[in-house]
Amino acid sequence: MAEFFDMGGYALYVWTAYGVSAAALVWLAVSTRKQLKESAEAVESARARRKGRV
Amino acid sequence: MHRFANPAQFNRLADVILPWAIGAMVLLFGAGLYYAFWASPPDYQQGESVRVMYIHVPAAWLAMFTYMVTAAASFTALVWRHPLALLAGKAAAPAGAVFTALALLTGMLWGKPMWGTFWVWDGRLTSVLVLFFLYLGYMALWQAIDDEEKAGRAASILALVGVVNIPIIKFSVDWWSTLHQPASVIRLDGPTIDGSMLTPLLLMAGAYQAYFVVVFLWRMKLEINRRKLSVARQAMMHAPVGAE
């Protein structure tokens, strides 16, 4: 197991590359989801306001 | 094509595709990572550091693919004034910027132990850095101009001008002397990479591609919502006084 994590002496480079990639991809996906959810709620409440006025 | 100019129809289509794309993404990442770490050998020259390639090359491919999506969307938006095409470019660009940044960063992390340096100002690395700035410029133009019509037009023109950079990236390793290795997968005479390394590479490329589809469709839905909100805001502003 220790040998696996050592990556033949390249541990720092291999795990940093994978760590940064995973973090960036997850960040983009999660922030996109969050913005999508907020925008959908805003559209819903704008629609409700319009209906309420008529 | 124009059938999908209708946002409601596009949203319906996106909702059909999304579960499949998410499923494919999870499966491909699972299989890809398994092959990348356990079911493939260390390289005879690069040792275990070759495993960085399984995320470096897909990120670089997707960086270019996403740029072509942005450019094609920009072209469609400028020529046919297709409203969803304009949003498609805007929806794709952030993913493209992330892919490009990751291609650069993972390349540097592989270059340090293998080449002995994080960076060289050669044709390949410089043209990919230019690609990164093209994405940033495209997104900045959308942000900088208040009138969305004008912003989209300016950003689209930049995206189209930047297309010249794509063949430069592809052929830079043939045209100029460089530390970067030449193509070993997409070649006229077929791949020269060994099958045991081609499998994890293609699985991870598929995973990145599926990830792009998922994030792109989410961002399309997001941009459609934003457009709806700005239309609603404008309607509000022009509403008669006392309507509130």
Side-chain angles (χ1 to χ4, degrees):
Chain A
M1 204 61 186
E3 196 188 355
F4 175 77
F5 285 109
D6 184 54
M7 279 290 143
Y10 299 116
L12 177 67
Y13 303 105
V14 173
W15 295 119
T16 309
Y18 275 84
V20 170
S21 297
L25 295 179
V26 168
W27 167 78
L28 179 67
V30 168
S31 73
T32 297
R33 274 306 295 179
K34 187 165 162 278
Q35 291 174 67
L36 176 58
K37 197 163 163 274
E38 285 164 0
S39 71
E41 283 163 4
V43 168
E44 229 14 80
S45 70
R47 186 170 293 154
R49 260 204 312 277
R50 210 163 45 235
K51 275 217 185 91
R53 212 167 54 213
V54 176
Chain B
M1 194 63 210
H2 271 77
R3 211 151 57 84
F4 304 117
N6 179 336
Q9 224 146 21
F10 180 90
N11 274 335
R12 265 199 298 279
L13 182 71
D15 288 337
V16 172
I17 298 171
L18 268 165
W20 294 96
I22 292 169
M25 177 180 77
V26 171
L27 286 176
L28 285 163
F29 266 120
L33 289 171
Y34 171 72
Y35 271 92
F37 282 112
W38 287 283
S40 63
D43 185 74
Y44 83 105
Q45 283 180 326
Q46 305 171 26
E48 303 288 350
S49 79
V50 72
R51 305 195 193 281
V52 174
M53 286 298 120
Y54 306 135
I55 47 174
H56 170 72
V57 177
W61 282 346
L62 264 292
M64 291 198 281
F65 170 81
T66 306
Y67 196 84
M68 292 315 293
V69 170
T70 307
S74 299
F75 182 78
T76 311
L78 285 176
V79 175
W80 289 289
R81 307 219 159 212
H82 192 297
L84 276 185
L86 197 60
L87 298 186
K90 198 182 178 194
V98 166
F99 290 138
T100 313
L102 287 178
L104 287 166
L105 275 168
T106 55
M108 288 165 79
L109 286 163
W110 180 88
K112 183 62 184 168
M114 291 297 112
W115 295 345
T117 177
F118 281 116
W119 190 264
V120 280
W121 288 103
D122 69 0
R124 173 56 69 88
L125 278 68
T126 308
S127 56
V128 175
L129 186 63
V130 168
L131 181 70
F132 183 62
F133 287 130
L134 282 168
Y135 277 121
L136 292 191
Y138 176 88
M139 292 189 289
L141 279 175
W142 269 108
Q143 293 288 322
I145 305 171
D146 277 335
D147 183 340
E148 276 179 51
E149 200 68 33
K150 281 187 192 140
R153 182 163 273 272
S156 298
I157 290 169
L158 175 71
L160 283 183
V161 172
V163 169
V164 292
N165 191 41
I166 295 294
I168 294 177
I169 293 175
K170 168 72 183 152
F171 295 111
S172 57
V173 285
D174 304 323
W175 290 343
W176 298 296
S177 73
T178 169
L179 285 178
H180 199 286
Q181 64 200 57
S184 59
V185 179
I186 302 168
R187 299 167 59 96
L188 286 176
D189 52 357
T192 55
I193 180 176
D194 190 74
S196 64
M197 293 173 179
L198 189 59
T199 305
L201 186 57
L202 292 182
L203 285 170
M204 289 303 280
Y208 272 56
Q209 185 73 57
Y211 172 89
F212 170 77
V213 171
V214 171
V215 168
F216 173 70
L217 290 176
W218 280 347
R219 293 201 82 87
M220 276 300 281
K221 290 167 62 116
L222 168 64
E223 294 302 339
I224 288 169
N225 282 344
R226 281 182 176 159
R227 182 53 62 94
K228 278 182 193 160
L229 287 170
S230 79
V231 170
R233 249 196 313 276
Q234 264 165 13
M236 210 70 121
M237 275 194 293
H238 298 300
V241 183
E244 269 299 287

